[in-house]
Structure formats: structure tokens, C-alpha cells
Amino acid sequence: MSAGHVKRLSLDWKATVKIGEFSRGGLTRGDNRASDHDRGCTEKYVPCGIVDEESGALTITFGSSYKTSDFIVETIAAKWDAMHDQEKADTSLIQITMDNGPESSGRRTQFLSRMVQLADVINKPIQLLSYPPSHSKDNPSEQQ
């Protein structure tokens, strides 16, 4: 990687997944038993995927809260922290492509504030790129 490299990441999160012994109609493959409903489920996870558009590497993070702006920024920060020091040093700009949902909207002050804080901490500029509504099929993290 040469100096002045743009790190392109694509980010997407999915619906909350309820964790438990659930199955349709209480049936599973084999002799296992399962509940036929998910009422009373207290354990839930939100999957969030980040694709490095250059290498195609996929990182999936599971959060135990809702899709909040804090969760999104913390996922991006964890991806940055996991990068090698040389890759961080070679990166001059981070471009993050994601859906423009309510959690990450350019009008969402909490999200923008956290992104500015992250840019200050890592000392790199961050560009946010959003797909138009209903165009998630173009998002590389959707194609994994």
C-alpha cells in the first residue's frame, strides 16, 4: 500500500436476531426439541458487517443492543483498531459506504458527533457515502 491510500469500507447491519431454542412449529432436524414461539426472549443480537472493498475481507460484529449510532461507530472503531499499524499509517482517508437509515442519517446529530469524535481520535478524515433508498443490492456488504 502506498502513502496517501484511501481505505474503502462498506458497512451494513441486519435485523435483530433472537437467541434461543426456537424453531417453526417446535420442530427441528433430528431429535432436538425447540420452542414454537419466541415470546419472552431476552437475549438478542444485532449483526453488523464491514467489508474492506480492496481485499474483500468481511468482519462481522454482534452487538447486544439496538442498531444505535453508538453501536455503528464502535463497530467502525473496532475495525480500525484491528488494522495493522502500517496499514493505519498508510491510510490518508477513510470512505465508509452504508445505507442512510435512521441510525446513520446525515441529519442524526448523535451519529455525526460520534463520527467526528472517531475521526479526531484516529486522526484521519472520514467520508460517509450513502446509497440511495432501496439500492442496498449495490452495497458490497450485502453481497457477502
Side-chain angles (χ1 to χ4, degrees), residues 67-106:
K67 298 180 290 189
T68 63
S69 54
D70 290 337
F71 172 59
I72 295 166
V73 175
E74 288 166 9
T75 299
I76 296 166
K79 174 69 175 175
W80 176 261
D81 290 343
M83 289 170 48
H84 295 290
D85 290 339
Q86 188 60 51
E87 188 176 14
K88 291 178 187 178
D90 290 345
T91 300
S92 63
L93 171 68
I94 301 170
Q95 289 182 336
I96 302 172
T97 306
M98 66 179 88
D99 293 336
N100 193 17
E103 307 85 7
S104 59
S105 169

Side-chain angles (χ1 to χ4, degrees), residues 54-74:
E54 184 177 340
S55 69
L58 170 65
T59 303
I60 300 176
T61 302
F62 291 91
S64 58
S65 67
Y66 293 101
K67 298 180 290 189
T68 63
S69 54
D70 290 337
F71 172 59
I72 295 166
V73 175
E74 288 166 9

Side-chain angles (χ1 to χ4, degrees), residues 3-42:
H5 183 77
V6 176
K7 175 57 96 180
R8 291 181 176 85
L9 303 173
S10 180
L11 182 132
D12 193 35
W13 45 95
K14 298 298 180 189
T16 301
V17 178
K18 296 177 180 180
I19 305 299
E21 297 176 354
F22 308 123
S23 182
R24 293 187 178 141
L27 301 175
T28 64
R29 293 185 178 119
D31 294 332
N32 302 318
R33 298 196 63 179
S35 300
D36 61 356
H37 54 77
D38 57 6
R39 290 187 293 258
C41 176
T42 57

Side-chain angles (χ1 to χ4, degrees), residues 82-136:
M83 289 170 48
H84 295 290
D85 290 339
Q86 188 60 51
E87 188 176 14
K88 291 178 187 178
D90 290 345
T91 300
S92 63
L93 171 68
I94 301 170
Q95 289 182 336
I96 302 172
T97 306
M98 66 179 88
D99 293 336
N100 193 17
E103 307 85 7
S104 59
S105 169
R107 297 178 185 185
R108 178 94 180 179
T109 57
Q110 172 69 16
F111 174 69
L112 294 176
S113 174
R114 288 293 313 274
M115 288 302 295
V116 169
Q117 289 172 1
L118 176 61
D120 288 344
V121 167
I122 66 174
N123 198 28
K124 302 286 180 183
I126 299 174
Q127 281 183 336
L128 300 176
L129 310 171
S130 298
Y131 289 109
S134 302
H135 284 80
S136 62

